Amino acid sequence: MKENYRIPLHYHKGKYLYCELPETDADCLVLYPDGGKTFRYTDPVYQNEIRVCSIPEEDAEQKLTAGYSDSGILEYVEVADGNRTRPIYIRFPDDESAREIIYQFSKYEAQEIADKIMSLHQKFSRIFIEYFFDGQAVDIAVRTGSPEDMQKIIAYYQEKYPGDTGAEDNAGDYPFKNRIEFDSETFRILLACARHELSGEFFRFAVHALEEEIPKVFPIIDKTEDFKFISEEYD
């Protein structure tokens, strides 16, 4: 593994594997190994220090790709990760560009999740949006609950804690396999590459997009009479 990976901030228009880029002492985005498969770099626009995980230690030169704009500015860096490609750097030239891209990304992810809910073809007692953001870690998902799931939760808690516990309204008590994931890893990179002071606002874009989009499927899906839609942050 190389000591670091130096990606020029300016080069010819196009998309290049790391091994195709020239070695240079000019201004670069430098990826420094930070233990295991983790790397860190300083964002050249906002000077944020960003950590990225799961970059292959072997053959990174063949898996890292850089994209350059018509004017030769580094626009993004991505890495091949199994059957998918993940961004590890995205250039936002200003706050409005970041706001628009993150807004559109959030809307797209929300629509994808809504489509997945409709594809389940089941009855729903609960649909939750569960989310967490502490300025670094990001997690957003939708979790569904069938009538059978809910009855198991109620029975379990009534046996352990007789009385009405309200556990059926707690997303964390429903099976983890019921989670439909927002692309939180890509979203984390988007937030990290934007101005830190705006990350809270941008995070709320994603939550609000889900809160707007998911109810659009309610007239279509099969729901119980006591169906609830709950959006809440977890600890």
Side-chain angles (χ1 to χ4, degrees), residues 60-79:
E61 294 90 342
Q62 301 289 334
K63 295 177 180 177
L64 286 168
T65 301
Y68 292 85
S69 67
D70 291 347
S71 55
I73 298 174
L74 178 65
E75 293 292 318
Y76 65 87
V77 179
E78 58 190 17
V79 62

Side-chain angles (χ1 to χ4, degrees), residues 113-152:
I113 289 175
D115 288 345
K116 288 175 183 176
I117 290 172
M118 287 191 293
S119 74
L120 292 175
H121 302 298
Q122 67 173 64
K123 181 169 275 192
F124 298 89
S125 288
R126 296 290 185 272
I127 293 180
F128 301 91
I129 301 172
E130 51 183 359
Y131 54 92
F132 174 81
F133 178 54
D134 64 0
Q136 295 290 330
V138 178
D139 181 44
I140 306 174
V142 167
R143 194 181 305 222
T144 64
S146 68
E148 295 77 16
D149 293 328
M150 192 171 78
Q151 289 309 311
K152 286 179 183 178

Side-chain angles (χ1 to χ4, degrees), residues 57-121:
E57 295 175 304
E58 302 283 332
D59 300 324
E61 294 90 342
Q62 301 289 334
K63 295 177 180 177
L64 286 168
T65 301
Y68 292 85
S69 67
D70 291 347
S71 55
I73 298 174
L74 178 65
E75 293 292 318
Y76 65 87
V77 179
E78 58 190 17
V79 62
D81 182 10
N83 294 325
R84 61 177 295 215
T85 299
R86 293 186 296 104
I88 59 176
Y89 167 70
I90 296 174
R91 178 179 180 270
F92 294 132
D94 52 53
D95 296 342
E96 286 309 308
S97 297
R99 183 173 280 106
E100 178 62 22
I101 290 171
I102 291 172
Y103 177 76
Q104 293 300 331
F105 174 82
S106 299
K107 292 288 289 184
Y108 173 81
E109 284 294 301
Q111 289 166 1
E112 287 287 293
I113 289 175
D115 288 345
K116 288 175 183 176
I117 290 172
M118 287 191 293
S119 74
L120 292 175
H121 302 298

Side-chain angles (χ1 to χ4, degrees), residues 6 13 16 30 39 46 68 153 188 215 221 232:
R6 299 179 58 84
K13 173 187 174 182
Y16 304 90
V30 185
F39 283 71
Y46 293 109
Y68 292 85
I153 291 166
R188 185 183 72 83
I221 62 175
E232 59 188 5

